[in-house]
Amino acid sequence: MKKLAVKKGAQCMACLECVRACSNAFYKEFHQDLSCIQIVDKNGQAKPMTCIQCGKCMKTCQHGAITQNAKTGVYMINKKLCVGCGECVAACPMHVMVLKTENPASKCIACGICAKACPMEILEIVEK
């Protein structure tokens, strides 16, 4: 399974370049709430929160809009089937799914845009 991960022992400096890259890729604007990667404060340290590809979003979707890619293992949203109900966003244990008004939901697809934007090079796409 392909997924975005934080390198072990890596320290995030909370510059938000990864957040900016993701938000711009999905919505063509920078807004922290529109990013599928979030930086949170955990015990005084900046910690990137990423999609763990757990599938809870797919199990919650009553419209069949979320499926798992058989080749990569990544859960993906079919924008044509998504009705924007937000159930998947509420089910996400990492709080990294996004729902913008009048748009389908979005989630990390392990594209690597955020990893390329990180000046500290702490993010990577891994196969698990």
Side-chain angles (χ1 to χ4, degrees), residues 16-93:
L16 302 181
E17 286 304 312
C18 59
V19 173
R20 178 184 310 278
C22 182
S23 171
N24 283 333
F26 276 104
Y27 294 102
K28 308 295 184 232
E29 66 177 292
F30 173 58
H31 193 289
Q32 194 164 351
D33 293 338
L34 299 179
S35 174
C36 298
I37 183 170
Q38 294 293 313
I39 308 300
V40 298
D41 179 10
K42 190 168 184 178
N43 301 322
Q45 301 267 337
K47 179 176 175 27
M49 299 299 287
T50 64
C51 176
I52 57 174
Q53 303 296 338
C54 67
K56 288 184 180 178
C57 55
M58 182 182 79
K59 292 175 186 141
T60 304
C61 183
Q62 298 177 15
H63 305 280
I66 304 175
T67 56
Q68 187 176 27
N69 181 299
K71 189 174 184 181
T72 65
V74 172
Y75 291 90
M76 305 187 77
I77 300 171
N78 181 327
K79 305 288 185 192
K80 291 179 182 174
L81 295 178
C82 178
V83 298
C85 69
E87 292 296 320
C88 58
V89 175
C92 178

